[in-house]
């Protein structure tokens, strides 16, 4: 019931329709620099061309922290304009390139955190709230101040329009409560927080109003701002800062996300080692990584200069993921196994769309799961179900009575399988 209500009434829209599945690509740590501090016009345009030439077109081109002047130190936020050394023409050419190829440019901002010496700190120090007079740390932008809110709205809106930004991504790596407590009177406890939150929501509402079809990705240091008013305006593509390639941890995370905030994104990373553990591990992107990142949005970690065999794998799995993701966003969710963050476990789930009369069952045999098979009890009734394995082309039919006796799946260690069905 919650998922159906969330999809119908909470999930933000794009062109008046619920958000569809999104494939995200990027050039993380370009030129060997942290985050996106090494990104520049040349490497961004080159990477987009490489992906397009390989027949692997993203829905979203992702530029994260570091595109502004920061001297390769991405947390140095507070000067909201492009790094002119890396982007002499701004991000305009990248946004235009994305538009020409039906790709959405996503751009990262963190407007509420101000580093000492940045533009906001020096030009408008009255808006840079501190914990104390001698505080040398980061400051908090005073979004409760209408003049301040108007200034940051105008600045960000101008950049969105100039750079052709289609997805506005807002982070928040800062603890605001000590700042509010230090700046409010004893008889006004909570007033600054109240005003700030109102300003934050008005800021977002104004950006959406001025930029029809813009949608928002809320990060907040990895999924720390997912209350209802935020979720009415945004989705948490980056729902966590941990476990990107730790498959059992991701499975536990996904279990809760599918139940409560069902539009989110995962990375196709492998952090396991040859011994079946996750200490000092790390393997290349493979089909197992894709199976463990089966979510409505996904960031493929295939590098733009990867070899043809890697791109062939990515192209093969892309339509499978899109087919599954579409059902994830319309169907009901049923966990089919326990989820204990244990690499010795199997992991399985089912999505069923009773309106379209279709769904899928996925099972993953984790890196240390000793059992060669698992018998699942999917939520199916007394009908004839026609199954298809899109990776092998295998087809079969089973009745509801047969399925009530169990749906047995056998796959090799460290692999997964998806069975789509219709009824």
């Amino acid at each position: 019931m919650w998922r159906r209500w969330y999809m119908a009434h909470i999930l933000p829209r794009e062109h008046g329709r619920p958000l569809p599945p999104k494939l995200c690509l990027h050039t993380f740590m370009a030129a060997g620099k942290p985050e996106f501090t090494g990104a520049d016009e040349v490497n961004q345009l080159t990477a987009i061309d490489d992906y397009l030439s390989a027949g692997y077109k993203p829905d979203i081109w992702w530029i994260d922290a570091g595109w502004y002047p920061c001297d390769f130190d991405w947390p140095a936020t507070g000067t909201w304009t492009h790094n002119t050394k890396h982007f002499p023409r701004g991000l305009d050419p990248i946004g235009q390139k994305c538009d020409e190829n039906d790709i959405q440019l996503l751009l990262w901002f963190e407007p509420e955190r101000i580093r000492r010496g940045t533009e906001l700190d020096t030009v408008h120090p009255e808006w840079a709230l501190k914990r104390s007079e001698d505080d040398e740390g980061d400051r908090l932008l005073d979004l409760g101040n209408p003049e301040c809110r108007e200034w940051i709205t105008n600045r960000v809106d101008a950049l969105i329009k100039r750079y052709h930004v289609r997805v506005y991504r807002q982070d928040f790596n800062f603890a605001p409560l000590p700042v509010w407590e230090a700046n409010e009177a004893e008889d006004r406890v909570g007033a600054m927080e109240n005003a700030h939150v109102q300003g934050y929501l008005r800021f977002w509402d104004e950006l959406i109003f001025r930029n029809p079809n813009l949608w928002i990705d809320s990060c907040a240091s990895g999924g720390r701002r997912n209350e209802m008013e935020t979720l009415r305006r945004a989705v948490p593509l980056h729902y966590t800062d941990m476990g990107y390639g730790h498959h059992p941890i991701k499975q536990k995370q996904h279990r809760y996300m599918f139940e409560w905030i069902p539009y989110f994104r995962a990375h196709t990373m492998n952090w396991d080692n040859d011994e079946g553990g996750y200490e000092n591990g790390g393997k290349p992107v493979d089909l197992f990584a894709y199976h463990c990142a089966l979510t409505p949005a996904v960031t493929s970690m295939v590098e733009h200069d990867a070899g043809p065999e890697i791109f062939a794998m990515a192209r093969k799995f892309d339509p499978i993921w899109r087919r599954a993701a579409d059902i994830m966003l319309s169907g009901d969710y049923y966990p089919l196994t326990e989820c204990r963050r244990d690499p010795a476990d199997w992991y399985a789930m089912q999505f069923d769309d009773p309106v379209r009369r279709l769904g899928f069952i996925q099972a993953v045999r984790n890196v240390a799961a000793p059992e060669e098979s698992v018998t699942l009890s999917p939520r199916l009734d007394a009908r004839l179900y026609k199954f298809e394995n899109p990776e092998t082309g295998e087809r079969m039919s089973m009745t509801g009575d047969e399925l009530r006796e169990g749906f047995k799946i056998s796959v090799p260690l460290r692999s997964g399988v998806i069975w789509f069905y219709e009824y």
Side-chain angles (χ1 to χ4, degrees):
M1 290 177 63
W2 167 263
R3 281 176 50 88
R4 291 182 182 184
W5 183 78
Y6 175 93
M7 295 296 188
H9 302 292
I10 299 298
L11 181 65
R13 267 42 182 172
E14 180 180 78
H15 303 292
R17 299 183 297 274
L19 287 175
K22 299 288 184 180
L23 171 65
C24 309
L25 296 176
H26 56 42
T27 55
F28 183 65
M29 294 187 69
K33 301 298 183 181
E35 292 286 330
F36 287 70
T37 60
D40 60 31
E41 179 179 328
V42 173
N43 60 39
Q44 295 303 293
L45 294 177
T46 297
I48 293 172
D49 281 334
D50 287 347
Y51 283 120
L52 294 175
S53 297
Y56 197 46
K57 184 177 83 69
D59 302 295
I60 290 175
W61 185 252
W62 191 297
I63 298 181
D64 214 273
W67 55 272
Y68 38 84
C70 63
D71 196 24
F72 302 111
D73 178 23
W74 70 265
T77 53
T79 302
W80 293 112
T81 186
H82 55 271
N83 181 338
T84 56
K85 293 181 180 179
H86 290 184
F87 301 100
R89 298 188 292 168
L91 275 69
D92 318 24
I94 299 163
Q96 291 169 5
K97 178 81 170 182
C98 289
D99 283 353
E100 291 165 2
N101 290 279
D102 193 27
I103 300 169
Q104 295 176 304
L105 175 62
L106 176 150
L107 191 61
W108 181 98
F109 290 81
E110 192 182 356
E112 292 160 286
R113 184 163 60 90
I114 302 173
R115 176 64 59 85
R116 252 186 105 212
T118 59
E119 179 188 12
L120 274 166
D121 183 55
T122 55
V123 175
H124 288 289
E126 72 277 15
W127 298 341
L129 302 178
K130 300 183 290 185
R131 297 177 183 87
S132 63
E133 281 301 318
D134 57 354
D135 180 19
E136 298 295 323
D138 292 341
R139 286 91 161 94
L140 177 68
L141 184 69
D142 187 8
L143 280 180
N145 181 320
E147 184 182 1
C148 171
R149 187 185 72 247
E150 184 69 14
W151 186 96
I152 194 65
T153 301
N154 290 336
R155 172 61 65 88
V156 173
D157 174 58
L159 297 180
I160 287 172
K161 288 179 166 60
R162 175 179 173 181
Y163 299 155
H164 304 250
V165 174
R166 306 305 177 211
V167 184
Y168 170 77
R169 172 169 164 78
Q170 183 163 319
D171 210 338
F172 192 31
N173 301 291
F174 190 83
L177 184 59
V179 179
W180 291 328
E181 292 175 336
N183 286 273
E184 60 192 6
E186 291 184 5
D187 62 345
R188 297 285 293 166
V189 173
M192 289 198 73
E193 177 180 3
N194 188 310
H196 184 102
V197 173
Q198 290 186 55
Y200 148 72
L201 295 173
R202 287 173 176 169
F203 168 55
W204 277 14
D205 287 344
E206 186 65 21
L207 291 182
I208 294 170
F209 176 76
R210 296 186 190 184
N211 300 276
N213 298 316
L214 179 78
W215 55 279
I216 298 175
D217 166 28
S218 177
C219 178
S221 205
R224 296 169 184 258
R225 208 178 207 173
N226 291 335
E227 35 64 45
M228 285 300 297
E229 291 305 322
T230 291
L231 292 175
R232 290 180 190 276
R233 297 163 171 84
V235 293
L237 291 183
H238 190 72
Y239 67 92
T240 182
D241 272 346
M242 67 171 291
Y244 307 163
H246 194 299
H247 310 117
I249 288 178
K250 286 170 67 172
Q251 290 159 6
K252 189 72 169 180
Q253 293 167 344
H254 295 176
R255 176 64 47 89
Y256 284 101
M257 294 300 290
F258 281 131
E259 291 179 359
W260 294 104
I261 312 177
Y263 197 103
F264 62 102
R265 173 201 62 139
H267 295 79
T268 60
M269 286 185 179
N270 293 315
W271 289 357
D272 55 310
N273 57 37
D274 292 334
E275 288 71 47
Y278 286 87
E279 295 296 326
N280 303 315
K283 296 180 181 294
V285 179
D286 59 10
L287 287 175
F288 186 64
Y290 278 92
H291 272 281
C292 292
L294 201 69
T295 51
V298 65
T299 288
S300 173
M301 300 306 291
V302 171
E303 300 288 347
H304 70 94
D305 54 357
E309 69 285 350
I310 297 294
F311 273 116
M313 175 198 66
R315 290 193 301 268
K316 175 183 178 181
F317 203 84
D318 184 71
I320 299 172
W321 159 72
R322 289 184 185 277
R323 183 178 175 185
D326 178 64
I327 299 171
M328 289 177 187
L329 295 174
S330 67
D332 299 325
Y333 168 63
Y334 301 105
L336 298 181
T337 55
E338 294 292 331
C339 197
R340 304 178 298 181
R341 297 197 315 179
D342 189 339
D345 282 347
W346 281 75
Y347 170 78
M349 62 181 179
Q350 175 189 3
F351 284 85
D352 181 84
D353 185 336
V355 175
R356 295 192 290 167
R357 298 165 65 95
L358 50 79
F360 74 86
I361 296 168
Q362 185 205 30
V364 172
R365 185 179 175 186
N366 277 315
V367 297
E371 295 85 4
E372 295 182 356
S373 64
V374 63
T375 300
L376 307 174
S377 298
R379 297 288 191 97
L380 302 172
D381 56 23
R383 301 174 186 269
L384 177 66
Y385 292 86
K386 298 179 180 179
F387 289 89
E388 175 199 3
N389 181 333
E391 293 183 83
T392 65
E394 184 181 358
R395 296 175 183 270
M396 63 180 180
S397 295
M398 297 181 72
T399 65
D401 290 338
E402 292 173 318
L403 288 163
R404 271 191 284 274
E405 297 178 4
F407 188 76
K408 186 176 181 180
I409 291 179
S410 300
V411 295
L413 193 66
R414 199 181 178 278
S415 63
V417 63
I418 300 172
W419 283 100
F420 289 101
Y421 62 80
E422 297 179 353
Y423 55 92

